[in-house]
Amino acid sequence: MAEAIITIRGLMNQFGDQVIHQDLDLDVHRGEILGIVGGSGTGKSVLLRTITGLNKPRAGRIEVFGQDLAQASAAERIALEQRWGVLFQDGALFSSLTVAQNIEVPMKEHLGMPARLRDEIAALKIAMVGLPPEAGSKYPSELSGGMRKRAGLARSLALDPDLIFLDEPTAGLDPIGAANFDQLIRQLQENLGLTVFMVTHDLDSLHAICDRIAVLADSRVLVVGPMADMLAHEHPWLREYFHGPRARAAQPKQQEAGG
């Protein structure tokens, strides 16, 4: 079994009287694309934000790269954050900065390098995500939704991370754009040796690129495994989600793509 680079045990997230996660356990293995799915209100994005330190849990332990996040010093935390990148929904780019300047933000924050080198690295990241060179000088408002997502992905790769978090990366994209983005994620994962933690509701993405799927239900990870495990499970939500009309539409497309 592959090494677990994220280990979560007994996680609890609660907002007021509402318990989002209770006794949640999860391992994310090195080099995999793990898809996180669940119904509305199950806390998919909350889980991502908790792992990345944007939300403080009520209880539990989270280890990333073997480091307990709750016990990490400020310096250790900064070192950890340099090893992961995050793509939020719609890219979450700074509107007052160009694409290239957005990509350079993590470099300016964490690395002491001259502006010319930052510019060269930003141009490389722009090319890596399939954007044309001229996209670097444009502002987010001048880009399409799909281009903004690619620009956000380029920024998440700015520090050459080992791990990337993606929050609904194909949401709002047309089917062709979503399929192209899926293949970009898989290509980058293979070429760069990335581990990918991907929150998604896109059945096509789950079939196309996810090595394993973790389902959030009943305030915890109900089941985690490959697509075959999802299709065989008898939980009502899984039956409805993975055997409903949209699921039946997604499966033939993936079978055609695969052969």
Side-chain angles (χ1 to χ4, degrees):
M1 183 176 293
E3 172 192 3
I5 65 169
I6 300 176
T7 301
I8 303 172
R9 294 293 182 268
L11 183 68
M12 179 181 183
N13 278 309
Q14 182 176 355
F15 301 101
D17 295 331
Q18 185 178 13
V19 175
I20 306 298
H21 303 133
Q22 179 76 55
D23 295 326
L24 185 151
D25 297 342
L26 180 64
D27 291 333
V28 182
H29 300 157
R30 181 178 296 278
E32 75 173 340
I33 298 179
L34 178 69
I36 308 295
V37 300
S40 178
T42 54
K44 302 180 293 295
S45 294
V46 171
L47 179 59
L48 183 155
R49 292 172 65 85
T50 303
I51 299 171
T52 56
L54 298 176
N55 175 68
K56 186 175 181 179
R58 288 293 185 92
R61 187 179 83 256
I62 301 174
E63 293 184 2
V64 182
F65 302 117
Q67 175 72 59
D68 186 335
L69 298 187
Q71 304 299 322
S73 67
E76 290 170 334
R77 182 76 196 199
I78 290 172
L80 278 174
E81 291 177 355
Q82 292 183 47
R83 298 185 65 186
W84 71 55
V86 185
L87 170 62
F88 296 103
Q89 291 191 43
D90 199 39
L93 299 168
F94 296 108
S95 60
S96 61
L97 302 180
T98 66
V99 168
Q101 289 169 340
N102 266 280
I103 296 169
E104 292 180 31
V105 166
M107 303 181 218
K108 294 178 73 172
E109 181 178 357
H110 292 290
L111 305 176
M113 61 173 59
R116 182 174 178 178
L117 182 55
R118 291 200 309 267
D119 292 343
E120 291 175 357
I121 293 174
L124 174 62
K125 303 303 178 181
I126 287 168
M128 285 174 61
V129 299
L131 288 173
E134 58 269 21
S137 61
K138 295 184 181 297
Y139 290 90
S141 61
E142 300 177 286
L143 303 178
S144 68
M147 292 178 74
R148 283 196 298 273
K149 286 180 182 287
R150 288 177 182 254
L153 182 60
R155 185 177 62 185
S156 77
L157 298 171
L159 301 181
D160 295 332
D162 301 302
L163 167 66
I164 57 171
F165 296 90
L166 310 177
D167 193 1
E168 299 284 7
T170 60
L173 299 181
D174 63 74
I176 294 175
N180 289 338
F181 203 88
D182 282 341
Q183 293 310 309
L184 172 63
I185 293 169
R186 172 57 82 182
Q187 182 182 16
L188 290 170
Q189 183 270 328
E190 292 177 346
N191 292 344
L192 303 177
L194 296 171
T195 302
V196 181
F197 181 103
M198 181 171 70
V199 171
T200 185
H201 67 273
D202 192 328
L203 281 156
D204 290 331
S205 297
L206 296 173
H207 279 281
I209 64 170
C210 289
D211 300 300
R212 293 193 306 150
I213 300 164
V215 177
L216 299 186
D218 304 328
S219 302
R220 60 190 176 88
V221 174
L222 179 69
V223 59
V224 59
M227 179 61 74
D229 291 1
M230 307 300 112
L231 298 174
H233 207 281
E234 294 300 322
H235 188 277
W237 188 87
L238 273 81
R239 296 294 299 175
E240 182 178 1
Y241 188 78
F242 288 102
H243 294 274
R246 291 173 66 89
R248 289 194 294 271
Q251 290 181 46
K253 285 192 284 185
Q254 299 311 322
Q255 290 167 1
E256 292 169 9

